[in-house]
Amino acid sequence: MNGGEVLRIVDAIHREKGIDKELIFESIEQALALAAKKHLNTKENPIVKIDRVKGDISAFDGEDPIETSALGRIAYQAARQLFVQKLREVESESVFTEFAHKKGDIVTCIVSRFEGPHLVCKIGEKAEATMLKGDQVPGENYRIGDRLRAYVSEVERRGTRVRVMVSRGHEDFVRRLFELEVPEIGDGTVVIKGIAREPGYRTKITVHSTNDRVDCLGACVGVRGSRIRNVVDELNGENVDIVRWSEKPEELIKNSLKPAEISEVQLDEAQKRATVYVLKDQLSQAIGKGGRNVRLASKLAAWEIDIYELGGDTSAPPASAVAVDGGAEVKAETAAPAPAPSEEKKNEG
């Protein structure tokens, strides 16, 4: 292999893989040195150098030069295998360096193929990311070639490979969308205190302003709803409720159950259980379709919530949601007959 061929190989790999040329040169040198050590029975660990301008290869066993012709006849084939392995390691390190700092951020990816129910997406020039079935949003249909925005939930090394996981169903996907859309969240004036989400259906988010002159709800909604509309569009119409946070549990629970109007809240501090009373015409809205509203409110407020109709039969089991790890569980049906749950309103806090 002459110097011109070496330079052409390095340049081709640099353009195809996007790997720094110096790393490629070093990988070739290390592969040739390992192959020479194994096949030439050298006294010491060989040192191989490649001229960065001419591409000429020189090798030494201690202070004794190694004939490059001998190196070529015996070691090049073995060196090639070692170089391929080394190149994978360098490429993996390059991908990890590029995406490690993007964990917790949103990237644009292109669907390249399906692996069972999971998506494999291209991100950047030379990396792939996986979106597991559980990270996809129910109701969203994905096709090869689709461009998606997704949240980078994980970047980790696995042997010589780098595993990048992305998600559209993650709660922090919504959090990051608001951070990008609302400058007051980005600069810390408005703080997101909590998020509860059932992807594809509804998200509740509690916010708090650190500046009395800034309305946290108005900042998130934007002029004529422009900011919240951009978030909802990215979520393909998912309902988003922006809730004013309060350090008082009664107020937080009332706000979390909106758009329903709550008549009364009674707290059992010992069991962290809240008994909520609503008028009959608010009952179905407080519970939500499939129990979703009370379930998300329970998770958001971190209280077990029982809902009763005001003036109804309190001896009957209430609509109840228990805050549990990763969500909330609806435990029972309503205490009194109620009209069929109506479609939930969007974007009311």
Side-chain angles (χ1 to χ4, degrees):
M1 183 185 298
N2 60 43
E5 289 177 317
V6 172
L7 293 178
R8 282 193 294 273
I9 290 172
V10 170
D11 186 63
I13 294 173
H14 168 69
R15 285 186 283 105
E16 179 182 349
K17 302 289 187 180
I19 300 173
D20 185 76
K21 286 186 178 182
E22 183 60 27
L23 292 176
I24 302 172
F25 277 119
E26 290 175 359
S27 298
I28 297 174
E29 290 170 344
Q30 292 170 19
L32 286 171
L34 288 170
K37 173 71 175 176
K38 181 177 181 180
H39 292 277
L40 298 180
N41 297 317
T42 57
K43 293 178 291 184
E44 300 181 23
N45 291 326
I47 297 175
V48 178
K49 292 293 182 184
I50 300 175
D51 188 291
R52 302 302 194 253
V53 177
K54 298 179 181 179
D56 294 336
I57 300 174
S58 57
F60 295 89
D61 179 9
E63 295 183 356
D64 301 327
I66 300 173
E67 288 292 332
T68 54
S69 57
L71 187 66
R73 286 195 305 271
I74 300 173
Y76 277 165
Q77 186 60 37
R80 177 175 177 171
Q81 297 173 352
L82 290 168
F83 172 65
V84 170
Q85 179 181 346
K86 186 65 179 177
L87 186 62
R88 287 194 187 120
E89 294 174 2
V90 170
E91 189 174 8
S92 174
E93 181 62 28
S94 176
V95 171
F96 184 81
T97 300
E98 180 180 357
F99 288 98
H101 72 281
K102 293 185 178 179
K103 181 178 179 180
D105 209 346
I106 291 176
V107 297
T108 299
C109 48
I110 301 173
V111 179
S112 58
R113 66 181 185 276
F114 294 89
E115 291 187 353
H118 313 309
L119 299 182
V120 177
C121 305
K122 182 179 179 182
I123 51 175
E125 293 296 324
K126 54 184 180 295
E128 287 187 333
T130 301
M131 186 185 295
L132 299 176
K133 178 67 175 177
D135 288 313
Q136 300 167 29
V137 175
E140 288 188 351
N141 297 313
Y142 309 105
R143 295 174 297 181
I144 293 176
D146 283 352
R147 297 178 68 88
L148 306 172
R149 294 178 76 194
Y151 175 79
V152 181
S153 58
E154 184 179 327
V155 181
E156 66 174 4
R157 289 190 180 94
R158 289 199 170 183
T160 60
R161 299 178 63 85
V162 174
R163 184 188 189 204
V164 181
M165 307 299 294
V166 294
S167 173
R168 283 183 58 82
H170 203 289
E171 290 178 353
D172 284 336
F173 180 50
V174 178
R175 181 189 299 274
R176 192 72 184 108
L177 287 173
F178 272 100
E179 290 173 348
L180 294 172
E181 194 64 41
V182 182
E184 292 85 350
I185 294 178
D187 65 21
T189 304
V190 173
V191 180
I192 297 175
K193 303 293 284 188
I195 296 178
R197 186 183 185 203
E198 292 192 3
Y201 300 102
R202 191 167 197 153
T203 292
K204 286 180 178 284
I205 174 172
T206 49
V207 292
H208 172 68
S209 178
T210 60
N211 186 334
D212 293 339
R213 293 179 295 178
V214 177
D215 176 42
C216 56
L217 300 185
C220 293
V221 172
V223 179
R224 297 178 182 174
S226 57
R227 292 173 177 176
I228 185 67
R229 190 180 305 115
N230 290 337
V231 173
V232 171
D233 286 347
E234 179 58 45
L235 299 175
N236 291 319
E238 182 175 316
N239 290 313
V240 178
D241 295 338
I242 304 173
V243 175
R244 192 184 302 276
W245 179 81
S246 174
E247 61 184 7
K248 298 177 180 179
E250 299 97 325
E251 290 298 321
L252 181 57
I253 290 168
K254 281 185 177 183
N255 293 342
S256 298
L257 284 167
K258 287 189 175 183
E261 293 297 326
I262 307 304
S263 299
E264 185 182 350
V265 177
Q266 296 178 358
L267 301 179
D268 183 340
E269 297 277 358
Q271 298 189 33
K272 208 167 185 182
R273 188 182 192 110
T275 302
V276 175
Y277 295 92
V278 298
L279 295 175
K280 184 176 182 179
D281 62 356
Q282 295 293 309
L283 186 59
S284 62
Q285 200 165 43
I287 297 168
K289 190 173 184 179
R292 190 169 294 124
N293 193 56
V294 65
R295 189 162 55 241
L296 290 176
S298 179
K299 181 179 180 183
L300 198 64
W303 280 74
E304 184 176 345
I305 299 175
D306 298 331
I307 299 181
Y308 288 98
E309 177 188 332
L310 193 64
D313 181 8
T314 57
S315 65
S320 177
V322 183
V324 295
D325 289 340
E329 175 188 1
V330 172
K331 294 185 68 179
E333 295 301 324
T334 60
S342 59
E343 276 297 319
E344 299 149 346
K345 297 180 182 179
K346 290 185 183 178
N347 316 324
E348 293 189 26

